Amino acid sequence: MTARVRKAVIPAAGLGTRFLPATKALPKEMLPVVDKPAIQYVVEESVSAGLSDVLMIIGRNKNAISNHFDRVTELELNLQKKGDTQKLERVVKSQELTEDIYYLRQGDPKGLGHAVLRARAHINNEPFAVLLGDDLIDARESLLTTMIDEQEKRDATIVALMEVDPDQIHLYGAAQVEETDDPDVVKVTGLVEKPAKEDAPSNLAIIGRYVLKPEVFDVLERTEPGKGGEIQLTDALEELAADDSIAGGVYGVIFRGRRYDTGDRLDYIKAIVQLALDREDLGPGLRPWLKDFVGDLD
Ligand code: UTP
């Protein structure tokens, strides 16, 4: 048995080039998904899995993120004066999620692996979670809690895997896996970053949730820049998967629930439509309009 995960790291220092020019002055994690920035969904997920100590790795335009989770007194007073309690609640919720949000600069965006390595001093010698704002997991799912439980049980590195269409696997890291006694958990024996369909070891793709052990920091320290000249987290995970003696190997939790991809423009648009349709305040208005609109398409 190992110590239970208490801390989350949210890397949000990427350049977000796929969303330019929107991300010239705004981190992509601040782009609204319906009416909340992606990063708020991720913090909500972290807190509801019991991880209220949240370290954000931030880059350019850092103030947008920290301002979002701070109090804005004049806005609160204005809404109070107007008696607009609904909007006031929404504002207050974003700043009361947790008191323990910490920020650290990445400096140069040298890759996700490099961003995670920046968390070393804050995390110290404990297992921890990493959540990416590119993937939003529906609030009704308990993926992160399941991953934390598996980490505790297996004392290993845990990644989240999702079955994708073989035609899509070239967009992801694909896992080579072996079965375990649990149909929802596999042992990861290798990883291939963005493979061609015919080279993919499986159609299980890595998605943006990880529960890592502190040993990953030593591996990241010696990981050479890979694809795009960046230090890739996947390269470090590959090393951990290839040698169980480093940190107990890598296991994958197969996620079959609701996930919204916000990493590229098309998926981002789909995510907004899906999430808005599910909302009590917006769904009833959007649904009939969308049906009409789709009916008119040729
Ligand atoms: P992506 O690979 O999606 O890169 O990063 P990106 O730069 O943000 O986006 P594009 O491809 O240019 O549009 C995956 C996650 O890792 C973080 C990003 O913020 C995102 O959450 N990241 C990436 C960092 O924090 N630092 C980096 O140096 C790179």
Side-chain angles (χ1 to χ4, degrees):
M1 277 276 218
T2 163
R4 188 151 177 99
V5 177
R6 299 182 303 128
K7 296 178 180 174
V9 175
I10 303 181
L15 291 177
T17 55
R18 283 168 290 177
F19 283 91
L20 282 170
T23 45
K24 262 179 90 180
L26 202 68
K28 83 170 168 192
E29 287 76 7
M30 280 301 295
L31 294 177
V33 181
V34 188
D35 51 8
K36 273 192 291 192
I39 201 160
Q40 185 175 334
Y41 290 87
V42 175
V43 174
E44 286 171 359
E45 181 190 342
S46 174
V47 172
S48 62
L51 314 184
S52 51
D53 181 310
V54 177
L55 173 67
M56 300 206 185
I57 310 295
I58 52 178
R60 292 175 312 130
N61 313 314
K62 62 183 164 81
N63 295 339
I65 295 183
S66 52
N67 287 347
H68 179 74
F69 293 101
D70 265 354
R71 291 194 67 168
V72 187
T73 319
E74 65 270 27
L75 179 60
E76 283 177 45
L77 287 175
N78 182 294
L79 293 170
Q80 255 162 18
K81 235 191 268 167
K82 287 185 185 148
D84 199 336
T85 45
Q86 250 185 356
K87 290 197 186 106
L88 183 63
E89 258 172 45
R90 281 195 254 155
V91 168
V92 171
K93 189 171 178 222
S94 67
Q95 60 219 22
E96 286 187 346
L97 285 169
T98 166
E99 283 177 359
D100 297 325
I101 301 191
Y102 304 92
Y103 301 93
L104 203 70
R105 286 298 292 268
Q106 188 183 9
D108 281 338
K110 293 187 199 154
L112 174 58
H114 180 257
V116 171
L117 189 51
R118 296 285 295 128
R120 184 171 206 161
H122 180 86
I123 296 297
N124 212 347
N125 205 21
E126 303 174 26
F128 62 102
V130 173
L131 293 85
L132 304 187
D134 284 1
D135 285 310
L136 300 186
I137 304 296
D138 195 285
R140 293 163 286 189
E141 308 289 353
S142 54
L143 171 65
L144 193 55
T145 305
T146 307
M147 293 176 74
I148 294 168
D149 291 345
E150 285 300 325
Q151 202 290 320
E152 208 177 354
K153 184 171 132 194
R154 296 178 191 270
D155 192 13
T157 298
I158 310 291
V159 296
L161 298 174
M162 194 155 181
E163 225 171 285
V164 300
D165 191 297
D167 286 329
Q168 298 289 306
I169 196 74
H170 68 280
L171 300 170
Y172 294 89
Q176 182 178 318
V177 300
E178 282 168 8
E179 282 179 14
T180 67
D181 48 7
D182 181 337
D184 292 325
V185 179
V186 287
K187 172 111 172 52
V188 177
T189 54
L191 291 165
V192 188
E193 189 58 24
K194 302 195 167 85
K197 186 176 165 181
E198 49 286 358
D199 300 331
S202 73
N203 59 347
L204 289 171
I206 293 214
I207 59 170
R209 298 291 176 275
Y210 310 84
V211 181
L212 304 175
K213 292 182 65 178
E215 287 85 344
V216 75
F217 294 125
D218 283 339
V219 179
L220 283 168
E221 293 271 14
R222 58 171 185 265
T223 301
E224 295 288 330
K227 228 175 195 154
E230 297 188 338
I231 297 176
Q232 303 288 352
L233 180 60
T234 312
D235 290 345
L237 292 174
E238 220 181 315
E239 188 174 333
L240 290 169
D243 184 352
D244 286 3
S245 73
I246 305 175
V250 178
Y251 288 82
V253 169
I254 301 177
F255 179 59
R256 307 179 208 273
R258 288 156 285 198
R259 158 187 177 254
Y260 312 94
D261 191 343
T262 58
D264 77 17
R265 290 170 301 172
L266 184 59
D267 287 328
Y268 172 77
I269 294 165
K270 292 180 194 167
I272 291 178
V273 174
Q274 280 173 287
L275 278 160
L277 275 176
D278 249 0
R279 289 251 306 239
E280 272 174 25
D281 54 345
L282 298 168
L286 180 59
R287 190 173 297 273
W289 175 84
L290 193 61
K291 276 189 171 161
D292 265 4
F293 183 73
V294 171
D296 286 344
L297 293 178
D298 39 50

